[in-house]
Amino acid sequence: MAFELPNLPYDYDALAPYMSRETLEYHHDKHHLAYVTNGNKLAEDAGLSGLSLEEVVKKSYGTNQPLFNNAGQHYNHIHFWKWMKKGGGGTSLPGKLDAAVKSDLGGYDKFRADFIAAGTSQFGSGWAWLSVKNGKLEISKTPNGENPLVHGASPILGVDVWEHSYYIDYRNARPKYLEAFVDNLINWDYVLEMYEAATK
Ligand code: MN3
C-alpha cells in the first residue's frame, strides 16, 4: 500500500501560539512529505510496497535502515498530527486512561515529569513515548525514526523532539516545547482511542 501524506486534522493556525503555522508548514508539508516520497521509493525497491505501514516498519527494522528511517517517520508523524489539537492538554484525562496513569505511572504529575524528562534527555533527534507493553503503560524514548512498535510495545502518545519540530517557535528550549505540548496540545481523546485498541 503506497504511503500517502494525510492532511492535517486542523487548520495551520489552530495550534498557535504553542506550535506556529510556519512550523506546521515546514514540518508537515516538507519534512513529512519527504518521508512519504522517499519511503515509497525505498519500499518499492525492497519489494515491500504491498505491505501495511506497520508491517514495513517492523520488517525493515535492522534489515533496511534507509527504508526503516522513512517508514518509521511516516508512521510517527501520521499519529503525531492526531496527538495534538487546539485546546488540548490539561490534567483531566478520560476516565480509563486516568486510572491507568495512576496505577501504572504513579499519577498524572509523575507522568508529566517523566514524559518531559524522556524528551529532554533524548540526545539528538528522536521521540518520547507513552506506550502499552504487556498491558501496562510505560514511558520511553527512541533515537531518530525509531518507535515502540519495534520493541514489542504499542505507542499511544509520542512527541517529536527533532529540532524541526520546535526550533522556529522555541529555538533551543526543548523543555519549554515539551511543557507546552503536554499542557496545551495533547489530544487525550486520540490517546484513549489508541489505548483502547492496544488493550482490547
Ligand atoms: Mn518530525
Side-chain angles (χ1 to χ4, degrees):
M1 194 190 326
F3 303 161
E4 279 179 38
L5 183 69
N7 289 325
L8 287 178
Y10 32 72
D11 185 81
Y12 285 86
D13 292 313
L15 305 183
Y18 308 108
M19 190 175 282
S20 64
R21 163 182 282 271
E22 189 182 356
T23 290
L24 287 172
E25 283 175 348
Y26 274 88
H27 198 174
H28 174 272
D29 300 3
K30 298 183 191 297
H31 290 280
H32 190 173
L33 178 63
Y35 301 133
V36 169
T37 307
N38 296 330
N40 276 328
K41 187 177 178 322
L42 291 161
E44 197 176 313
D45 292 348
L48 297 177
S49 48
L51 300 182
S52 73
L53 175 57
E54 286 81 352
E55 288 171 320
V56 175
V57 169
K58 289 180 188 171
K59 256 197 174 12
S60 60
Y61 181 63
T63 63
N64 184 335
Q65 191 67 37
L67 175 57
F68 176 75
N69 291 339
N70 287 280
Q73 284 290 71
H74 180 42
Y75 176 91
N76 297 345
H77 286 81
I78 285 174
H79 296 290
F80 183 57
W81 310 130
K82 300 207 263 185
W83 279 321
M84 298 185 286
K85 70 171 188 181
K86 185 184 182 69
T91 59
S92 170
L93 274 47
K96 211 186 254 188
L97 260 182
D98 191 53
V101 164
K102 280 195 179 104
S103 65
D104 299 346
L105 299 177
Y108 178 83
D109 290 347
K110 190 162 187 318
F111 151 76
R112 183 183 181 278
D114 290 350
F115 186 75
I116 289 172
T120 302
S121 63
Q122 169 55 41
F123 185 76
S125 296
W127 293 75
W129 300 100
L130 176 63
S131 346
V132 177
K133 189 168 187 179
N134 302 320
K136 289 203 162 227
L137 291 178
E138 67 173 25
I139 290 169
S140 64
K141 61 188 176 186
T142 58
N144 303 315
E146 207 171 291
N147 66 43
L149 280 183
V150 299
H151 299 293
S154 304
I156 63 169
L157 172 67
V159 61
D160 190 339
V161 299
W162 288 55
E163 286 186 348
H164 65 224
S165 195
Y166 63 88
Y167 219 83
I168 291 170
D169 300 321
Y170 300 88
R171 296 301 168 190
N172 60 325
R174 191 192 285 184
K176 291 264 169 260
Y177 156 70
L178 288 164
E179 287 168 14
F181 178 86
V182 174
D183 295 340
N184 304 103
L185 293 175
I186 295 176
N187 179 356
W188 284 110
D189 294 328
Y190 188 57
V191 180
L192 175 66
E193 200 181 299
M194 292 198 83
Y195 178 71
E196 287 182 329
T199 52
K200 74 176 178 211

